C-alpha cells in the first residue's frame, strides 16, 4: 500500500498538470478509482464516500458556498441533523484547519475522489443547489411591479437576482434531466425541488433558507402572471421561456400548504415534440408486435371509434398521434381538438380548447362535424355531451380517435354507460379499445445498477405496453345484453386479448425491466 508521504509527494508533483490527480495516481498504481479511494482512506484514516452515495447526498451551502467549494474541492452535505465535510485532497491541511474554525460544528469528514466530486459540482452548477448567498429581501416588492420577462436559460450568472438564478437554473436542470414536471415543495427549513422523470418523482435538491420558499414561489407567480398577494387559494397559469433557440411552454399550478405554498410546473416543449412527431410511428413506442398490429389495424378503418385509455401520463396522446401520423396519407381531412395541442402535425387542422372563451370539447366537436372531416381526434372524452357527439360522429361515417380515463379496456364500457351513452349505440360505433402504461427500462449503461447517466435510479427511458379489445359481433352482443364483465373478459381472452400484466411480465422475462417496476404500473392479480 502506498504511504501517506508518497501520496503527498505525488500530489505536489501533479498540482499544475491540468489532470485530476487521483486519476493520474490510479493510472500510476494500476488501480481502479474505487480501489484508489479505499487506499487513500486507509492511508490517511478517513472514511470514504463512494460516487453512488455522493450523488444522493444533499448539499448545504449555508456553510460553504459553491464558488468556494470549487476552489477547495470540497462540499458540505447534510445528513439528518448533522453537517459533514466531503473533500478530495487528504494532503490539504489548510482545508482541515478551515473546517476546525467553523462556528457550526461539522460531523464526520468524508473522503471522495476529486474527479467524482468535480463532476457532481458540475451538476449542481446547473441546478438550484448552485445558488448561494443570502436571498434578496426586496424581491417580492420588485416582483410585484415588474413585467413578465422572457428569459434565456443559457448564461445564468451572478448578475441576476439569487431567486431569478434559483428558478432559471432549476428549469435548465430539469430540461437537461428530461423531467416532465417540476415540484417546488415548501418545508420548514426551506425548499425541496423534485422532478418527475420517466413517470417517477425523484428528489433533485434541498436548499436551506427560511424565506426561500416564499420568494421562489413569488418569482414563479410573476412569470405566470398570477396574483402574488393571494396565498390562500390555488392558482393556475402558464409562462414561456426561450432556451437554446427554441420556445418552451410551462404550465403552473400553485397550491397552499402547511409551510407556505407548493408549485408544480409542467414542461411542454412543443417544438421538441413537433420534431419528434415528424418521425413518430407505432414502431418506436415499444409495443409488442401483436399490440402494434392491432392499433395499426384500428387506425386504418374507414369509420368507427378507436379509444385509448390509461391514467394521466401513460402516453395515450402520443399513441394517438403515432396512429394518426401513420394513417395520414394526404387524402383525408384530419381535424383534432385538444387541451392543449401538444404536437404540431403537418397537414392536420388542430384546434386548442379554450374554456374561457367558450370553446369546449363538445362545442368544438359540433363545429368540426360541419367542416367536412374524414378523421377526428378528440383529446379526451370527459363528459356526457362530448361522448354522445363522438359516438354519433363514428356512426355517421367518421373515424374518431380519442382518449378516456379508465384502468383497463373493460372499465371503459362502464365509463360510457356512466356518461349516459346507450350500450347498443356505443358498441355499434366502437372498433376497439387499447389500454396502455409506460414502463421504465433498465439503464443501458449500467443495466439497473445505477450510474450518473440515470441519476442512480437504474432506469432510463420507457416503453409502452398495452392490451387491446377488438370488437366483433359476439362481444357486441354481450355488451348490449349487459353481460357481467367476467363473461366479457373470458370471451375477449378466448379471442387472444393479452392483458397489461402479461405484457409487462414479458418485459421482465426478456431482462428489460424489473418485477418491482411492473408492480408499480400494473395490477398483480
Amino acid at each position: 500500500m502506498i504511504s501517506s508521504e508518497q501520496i503527498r509527494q505525488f500530489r505536489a508533483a501533479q498540482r499544475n498538470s491540468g489532470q485530476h490527480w487521483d486519476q493520474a495516481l490510479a493510472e500510476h498504481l494500476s488501480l481502479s478509482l474505487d480501489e484508489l479511494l479505499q487506499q487513500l482512506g486507509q492511508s490517511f484514516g478517513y472514511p470514504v464516500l463512494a460516487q453512488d452515495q455522493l450523488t444522493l447526498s444533499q448539499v448545504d451551502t449555508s456553510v460553504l458556498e459553491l464558488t468556494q467549494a470549487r476552489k477547495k474541492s470540497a462540499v458540505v452535505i447534510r445528513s439528518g441533523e448533522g453537517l459533514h465535510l466531503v473533500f478530495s485532497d487528504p494532503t490539504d491541511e489548510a482545508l482541515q484547519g478551515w473546517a476546525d474554525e467553523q462556528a457550526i460544528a461539522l460531523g464526520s469528514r468524508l473522503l471522495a475522489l476529486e474527479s467524482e466530486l468535480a463532476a457532481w459540482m458540475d451538476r449542481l452548477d446547473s441546478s438550484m443547489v448552485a445558488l448561494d448567498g443570502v436571498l434578496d429581501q426586496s424581491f417580492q416588492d420588485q416582483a410585484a411591479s415588474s413585467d413578465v420577462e422572457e428569459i434565456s436559460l443559457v448564461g445564468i450568472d451572478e448578475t441576476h437576482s439569487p431567486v431569478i438564478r434559483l428558478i432559471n437554473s432549476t428549469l435548465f436542470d430539469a430540461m437537461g434531466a428530461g423531467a416532465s414536471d417540476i415540484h417546488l415543495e415548501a418545508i420548514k427549513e426551506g425548499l425541496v425541488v423534485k422532478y418527475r422523470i420517466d413517470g417517477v418523482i425523484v428528489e433533485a435538491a434541498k436548499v436551506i433558507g427560511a424565506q426561500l420558499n416564499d420568494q421562489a414561489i413569488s418569482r414563479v407567480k410573476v412569470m405566470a402572471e398570477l396574483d402574488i398577494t393571494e396565498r390562500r387559494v390555488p392558482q393556475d397559469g402558464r409562462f414561456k421561456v426561450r432556451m437554446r433557440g427554441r420556445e418552451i411552454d410551462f404550465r403552473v399550478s400553485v397550491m397552499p400548504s402547511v409551510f407556505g405554498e407548493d408549485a408544480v410546473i409542467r414542461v411542454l416543449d412543443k417544438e421538441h415534440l413537433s420534431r419528434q412527431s415528424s418521425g413518430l410511428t407505432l414502431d418506436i413506442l415499444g409495443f409488442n408486435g401483436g399490440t402494434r398490429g392491432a392499433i395499426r389495424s384500428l387506425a386504418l378503418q374507414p369509420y368507427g371509434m378507436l379509444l385509448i385509455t390509461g391514467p394521466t401520463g401513460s402516453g395515450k396522446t402520443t399513441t394517438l398521434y403515432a396512429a394518426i401520423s401513420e394513417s395520414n396519407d394526404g387524402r383525408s381531412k384530419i381535424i383534432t381538438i385538444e387541451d392543449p395541442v401538444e404536437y404540431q402535425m403537418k397537414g392536420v387542422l388542430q384546434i386548442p380548447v379554450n374554456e374561457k372563451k367558450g370553446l369546449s370539447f363538445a362545442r368544438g366537436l359540433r363545429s368540426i362535424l360541419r367542416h367536412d372531416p374524414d378523421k377526428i381526434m378528440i383529446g379526451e372524452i370527459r363528459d356526457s355531451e362530448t361522448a354522445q357527439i363522438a359516438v354519433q360522429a363514428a356512426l355517421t361515417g367518421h373515424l374518431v380517435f380519442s382518449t378516456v380515463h379508465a384502468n383497463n379496456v373493460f372499465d371503459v364500457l362502464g365509463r360510457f354507460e356512466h356518461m349516459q351513452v346507450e350500450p347498443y349505440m356505443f358498441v355499434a360505433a366502437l372498433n376497439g379499445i387499447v389500454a396502455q402504461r409506460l414502463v421504465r427500462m433498465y439503464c443501458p449503461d449500467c443495466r439497473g445498477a445505477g450510474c450518473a447517466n440515470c441519476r442512480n435510479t437504474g432506469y432510463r427511458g420507457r416503453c409502452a405496453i398495452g392490451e387491446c379489445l377488438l370488437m366483433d359481433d359476439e362481444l357486441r352482443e354481450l355488451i348490449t345484453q349487459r353481460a357481467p364483465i367476467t363473461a366479457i373478459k373470458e370471451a375477449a381472452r378466448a379471442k387472444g386479448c393479452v392483458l397489461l400484466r402479461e405484457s409487462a411480465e414479458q418485459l421482465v422475462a426478456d431482462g428489460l425491466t424489473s418485477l418491482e417496476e411492473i408492480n408499480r404500473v400494473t395490477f398483480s392479480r
Side-chain angles (χ1 to χ4, degrees):
M1 179 182 294
I2 188 169
S3 68
S4 59
E5 184 57 35
Q6 289 173 311
I7 294 172
R8 285 190 175 91
Q9 292 174 2
F10 188 90
R11 177 72 181 98
Q14 287 286 324
R15 195 168 299 278
N16 298 315
S17 67
Q19 182 184 8
H20 290 301
W21 73 272
D22 51 8
Q23 291 179 336
L25 182 57
E27 294 172 7
H28 177 71
L29 298 175
S30 299
L31 296 174
S32 70
L33 285 172
D34 287 339
E35 291 170 337
L36 175 65
L37 180 60
Q38 295 301 323
Q39 284 206 16
L40 290 174
Q42 292 175 25
S43 296
F44 287 87
Y46 289 115
V48 300
L49 194 66
Q51 182 185 22
D52 57 345
Q53 298 170 304
L54 176 65
T55 54
L56 294 175
S57 300
Q58 295 176 350
V59 71
D60 190 305
T61 58
S62 62
V63 178
L64 182 61
E65 299 175 358
L66 201 67
T67 52
Q68 293 299 314
R70 282 193 174 279
K71 294 177 182 178
K72 297 178 183 295
S73 190
V75 293
V76 174
I77 64 170
R78 179 176 292 274
S79 177
E81 297 299 320
L83 297 176
H84 309 282
L85 178 69
V86 180
F87 62 100
S88 64
D89 186 356
T91 70
D92 189 349
E93 295 178 358
L95 175 64
Q96 301 303 326
W98 170 86
D100 292 337
E101 295 171 357
Q102 294 308 299
I104 299 177
L106 295 174
S108 58
R109 302 183 188 185
L110 308 170
L111 188 62
L113 290 169
E114 181 187 48
S115 50
E116 293 178 353
L117 193 57
W120 188 47
M121 284 194 283
D122 285 341
R123 264 192 54 206
L124 297 182
D125 240 348
S126 63
S127 71
M128 49 87 68
V129 187
L131 301 174
D132 45 49
V134 180
L135 291 173
D136 183 357
Q137 299 297 319
S138 64
F139 167 76
Q140 201 162 2
D141 295 332
Q142 296 172 0
S145 61
S146 299
D147 294 328
V148 176
E149 60 181 290
E150 183 178 359
I151 64 173
S152 171
L153 299 183
V154 178
I156 303 170
D157 57 42
E158 300 297 322
T159 63
H160 289 92
S161 157
V163 78
I164 292 177
R165 289 187 283 122
L166 166 68
I167 299 303
N168 286 14
S169 56
T170 299
L171 297 178
F172 184 83
D173 186 51
M175 293 295 296
S180 61
D181 300 87
I182 304 165
H183 292 245
L184 306 178
E185 299 181 356
I187 59 174
K188 185 177 181 180
E189 298 84 5
L191 183 71
V192 175
V193 176
K194 299 178 181 178
Y195 302 151
R196 186 177 293 277
I197 301 174
D198 289 338
V200 177
I201 295 289
V202 295
E203 184 170 318
K206 179 187 291 183
V207 175
I208 306 302
Q211 298 181 354
L212 176 64
N213 179 65
D214 287 346
Q215 297 188 355
I217 298 300
S218 292
R219 171 61 182 167
V220 172
K221 285 182 175 180
V222 168
M223 296 172 72
E225 298 183 302
L226 301 177
D227 184 356
I228 66 171
T229 64
E230 180 56 76
R231 300 182 180 180
R232 297 166 296 179
V233 298
Q235 297 188 65
D236 297 308
R238 61 180 62 211
F239 64 90
K240 181 182 296 185
V241 303
R242 180 175 294 277
M243 186 180 80
R244 292 174 180 168
R246 71 176 189 262
E247 289 187 348
I248 302 165
D249 291 333
F250 296 88
R251 285 191 296 182
V252 177
S253 173
V254 179
M255 192 78 66
S257 70
V258 174
F259 297 111
E261 291 177 291
D262 285 16
V264 175
I265 305 172
R266 167 65 57 89
V267 181
L268 296 171
D269 189 355
K270 293 183 180 179
E271 292 186 26
H272 176 64
L273 293 174
S274 296
R275 285 194 296 273
Q276 284 187 327
S277 69
S278 62
L280 185 62
T281 66
L282 292 168
D283 292 322
I284 67 175
L285 299 184
F287 290 113
N288 61 40
T291 303
R292 187 166 59 245
I295 298 173
R296 212 168 251 143
S297 174
L298 292 170
L300 293 174
Q301 298 300 313
Y303 54 83
M305 180 183 289
L306 164 60
L307 295 174
I308 309 288
T309 188
T312 300
S314 61
K316 302 185 296 296
T317 302
T318 302
T319 299
L320 282 186
Y321 270 104
I324 291 173
S325 178
E326 288 194 358
S327 63
N328 185 11
D329 56 9
R331 294 179 295 179
S332 302
K333 179 74 170 182
I334 304 176
I335 306 178
T336 75
I337 181 164
E338 308 166 61
D339 183 24
V341 174
E342 295 186 11
Y343 300 80
Q344 296 174 5
M345 303 184 70
K346 292 183 179 179
V348 177
L349 173 58
Q350 296 174 271
I351 303 169
V353 165
N354 190 335
E355 297 282 359
K356 292 182 179 179
K357 300 294 184 180
L359 180 56
S360 62
F361 277 115
R363 183 173 179 181
L365 189 51
R366 287 198 198 92
S367 299
I368 286 172
L369 292 174
R370 296 193 291 269
H371 212 70
D372 191 29
D374 296 296
K375 301 175 182 179
I376 302 167
M377 176 185 146
I378 307 166
E380 181 186 348
I381 294 177
R382 59 176 70 151
D383 57 66
S384 176
E385 187 177 11
T386 305
Q388 297 278 359
I389 300 170
V391 168
Q392 288 294 337
L395 290 172
T396 53
H398 304 89
L399 182 59
V400 177
F401 301 80
S402 189
T403 72
V404 62
H405 283 287
N407 289 325
N408 55 59
V409 293
F410 305 102
D411 288 349
V412 172
L413 308 176
R415 284 281 290 135
F416 270 77
E417 187 171 1
H418 179 73
M419 289 188 284
Q420 301 175 344
V421 177
E422 289 294 331
Y424 74 90
M425 291 185 62
F426 177 52
V427 298
L430 184 64
N431 294 335
I433 308 170
V434 178
Q436 74 174 70
R437 299 291 190 276
L438 293 177
V439 177
R440 292 185 298 169
M441 309 300 284
Y442 282 139
C443 173
D445 296 313
C446 65
R447 300 302 297 171
C451 65
N453 292 327
C454 62
R455 292 185 173 234
N456 287 293
T457 63
Y459 302 97
R460 185 152 60 95
R462 292 184 288 178
C463 79
I465 58 171
E467 65 183 19
C468 296
L469 180 65
L470 304 179
M471 300 303 297
D472 63 9
D473 290 342
E474 181 184 354
L475 287 173
R476 287 189 174 96
E477 186 68 22
L478 286 171
I479 296 169
T480 301
Q481 293 177 354
R482 289 184 165 85
I485 288 295
T486 53
I488 298 171
K489 186 178 293 187
E490 287 176 5
R493 296 280 283 151
K495 298 173 187 300
C497 176
V498 178
L499 301 182
L500 276 169
R501 180 68 181 188
E502 295 168 340
S503 296
E505 288 171 345
Q506 187 58 52
L507 291 178
V508 177
D510 293 340
L512 299 175
T513 191
S514 67
L515 183 62
E516 178 187 22
E517 173 62 11
I518 69 168
N519 286 339
R520 186 182 67 84
V521 297
T522 63
F523 186 71
S524 178
R525 299 180 186 277

